[in-house]
Amino acid sequence: MNTIGNIFRLTTFGESHGEAIGGVVDGMPAGIPIDVAFIQQELNRRRPGQSHITTARKEADKVELLSGVFEGKSTGCPIGFIVRNTNQHSNDYDNMRELYRPSHADYTYTYKYGTRDHRGGGRSSARITISRCVAGALAKLALKEIGVRITAYTSQVGSIALERDYRKYDLTLTESNAVRCPDTEKAAEMIRLIEEVKAEGDTIGGVITCVIQGCPPGLGEPEFSKLHAMLGAAMLSINAVKGFEYGEGFDGVAMRGSEQNDEFLPLNSQYDHQEQKLSTKTNHSGGIQGGISNGQDIYCRVAFKPIATLLREQKTVDIHGKETTLTAKGRHDPCVLPRAVPVVEAMTAITILDAYLADKAGKIS
């Protein structure tokens, strides 16, 4: 329901226009240095109002850690946290109180619960991803201790796309522009497209690519908790996500098995011999085979639909089923991609740390 994870677990609470967004992280390993400035930096990457191609809503999104940290390190006890909402304009949504917005969760929430919070979508709002970013930052701090690095970037906006091979780009340039794309020329094109769409009161979707480096082999379970299934479930739980693929993904169906298979390379160092850690000549598998990580880079792509809130007239119906029109008010993103990059990283970190802890729990050293 509102919890993800088995050993490293996040439970979230809050609504877009409520008092605060928050959560509880359980299963955080003890003794991890907790860098609050880093956690805040991850929230800053997600927060609204950071550029002209994102929503104009202004929120400090300052995190308050309430428990589970002592003298700068995790204690192993639950880490409770909140991020207070300070800039809600709830009146902007008064005209939506009795309307169902196209492609939103208004109708499904009402049908399921018999009620809904019409202010900014309430619990279905993307603002809820704040909690994921806090938990993801904590997971990143733990994963840093074992050398795991996670980098996501915008690889497509509309029809403007980078090449699929992430190795062709300097991923350190991702944060150098507003759209979070490591190719500066393509980034400029993407930004112009978002500006055009925004001027028309419309929205646009795209793709985020995520790369996991330094992931140890052996993570994931052989049947229902395959690592790629866990990652897929995590990504598909993010607002506006419509698709997930890893490795060659759908493009791989056009390849022959002789092209797709990743040949193993001979052990070529004393370390490799000691650890029996093999490498592969290619990585079409995307770092996962049989549902278990093999030690190569894990890479995946996450597709986001255009945001459903348009600042232009749309046909819809009211709660009585009567035909009407809706023109949304308020402050909304014309494209979710720039602010979704840290969310994808966060959900990846949560998943990988949970799988790592599960692997350790299943072994006797």
Side-chain angles (χ1 to χ4, degrees):
M1 294 179 69
N2 298 294
T3 300
I4 186 172
N6 296 298
I7 296 179
F8 183 84
R9 298 166 62 93
L10 165 67
T11 300
T12 73
F13 65 84
E15 295 82 32
S16 176
H17 286 233
E19 290 298 317
I21 306 296
V24 176
V25 170
D26 206 354
M28 179 72 176
I32 303 297
I34 302 301
D35 185 344
V36 178
F38 172 75
I39 298 172
Q40 186 60 55
Q41 175 186 316
E42 293 295 276
L43 280 180
N44 292 348
R45 295 172 67 211
R46 194 225 69 93
R47 74 182 175 191
Q50 59 186 273
S51 77
H52 70 287
I53 59 171
T54 64
T55 172
R57 179 171 176 169
K58 296 290 185 180
E59 292 278 4
D61 284 355
K62 184 174 176 56
V63 64
E64 301 175 40
L65 300 183
L66 306 177
S67 62
V69 180
F70 180 66
E71 295 184 341
K73 293 185 177 181
S74 58
T75 64
C77 298
I79 298 178
F81 62 88
I82 60 171
V83 174
R84 300 182 188 278
N85 294 325
T86 61
N87 192 231
Q88 310 98 307
H89 287 181
S90 298
N91 291 339
D92 288 343
Y93 297 87
D94 283 350
N95 66 322
M96 303 179 192
R97 182 183 291 272
E98 295 193 345
L99 300 180
Y100 291 136
R101 295 171 295 173
S103 290
H104 274 275
D106 299 344
Y107 171 70
T108 52
Y109 266 55
T110 302
Y111 197 92
K112 181 177 179 65
Y113 298 108
T115 185
R116 69 179 171 95
D117 183 347
H118 68 282
R119 304 166 304 165
R123 185 69 175 154
S124 67
S125 169
R127 185 157 177 76
I128 306 304
T129 58
I130 283 174
S131 299
R132 300 171 184 231
C133 287
V134 174
L138 291 168
K140 281 185 176 183
L141 291 173
L143 291 171
K144 181 181 178 182
E145 300 292 306
I146 60 171
V148 176
R149 302 173 303 283
I150 298 169
T151 307
Y153 61 93
T154 298
S155 54
Q156 183 172 344
V157 173
S159 61
I160 302 170
L162 304 188
E163 292 187 42
R164 290 173 61 92
D165 190 347
Y166 65 91
R167 295 169 300 178
K168 295 183 180 296
Y169 301 98
D170 180 357
L171 300 188
T172 64
L173 298 176
T174 298
E175 295 293 319
S176 67
N177 54 74
V179 78
R180 293 197 163 93
C181 172
D183 183 316
T184 54
E185 291 185 6
K186 288 286 188 179
E189 293 180 37
M190 292 174 178
I191 290 171
R192 284 195 293 272
L193 176 58
I194 295 172
E195 290 171 340
E196 291 172 10
V197 167
K198 180 180 179 180
E200 296 169 358
D202 215 332
T203 61
I204 192 80
V207 175
I208 289 174
T209 296
C210 186
V211 182
I212 310 164
Q213 296 172 304
C215 183
L219 305 192
E221 303 301 325
E223 186 62 9
F224 298 112
S225 292
K226 290 179 168 65
L227 186 58
H228 59 268
M230 295 170 64
L231 284 168
M235 298 307 153
L236 289 164
S237 75
I238 300 172
N239 307 58
V241 169
K242 286 294 187 179
F244 168 83
E245 63 177 2
Y246 74 103
E248 291 295 339
F250 285 100
D251 278 7
V253 303
M255 300 170 67
R256 303 282 181 97
S258 56
E259 299 172 298
Q260 179 84 218
N261 287 353
D262 297 315
E263 297 179 9
F264 288 106
L265 298 174
L267 295 172
N268 57 12
S269 71
Q270 184 178 0
Y271 172 79
D272 285 344
H273 278 280
Q274 290 173 343
E275 297 291 322
Q276 287 293 297
K277 184 179 179 182
L278 293 171
S279 296
T280 54
K281 185 177 180 180
T282 55
N283 189 19
H284 300 300
S285 299
I288 301 172
Q289 292 168 330
I292 299 171
S293 62
N294 65 6
Q296 305 304 300
D297 288 354
I298 298 171
Y299 58 97
C300 62
R301 290 159 51 86
V302 187
F304 286 79
K305 71 171 184 175
I307 294 172
T309 300
L310 310 183
L311 297 181
R312 60 196 295 180
E313 187 175 277
Q314 297 182 84
K315 292 182 179 180
T316 188
V317 299
D318 61 20
I319 59 176
H320 307 293
K322 184 179 179 181
E323 186 177 8
T324 185
T325 59
L326 164 69
T327 301
K329 301 176 182 178
R331 302 155 295 175
H332 305 281
D333 290 281
C335 178
V336 74
L337 276 296
R339 296 175 58 214
V341 165
V343 181
V344 168
E345 289 185 1
M347 295 307 294
T348 301
I350 290 169
T351 303
I352 296 298
L353 179 58
D354 190 38
Y356 177 79
L357 295 174
D359 183 60
K360 291 301 179 185
K363 296 177 180 178
I364 298 176
S365 58

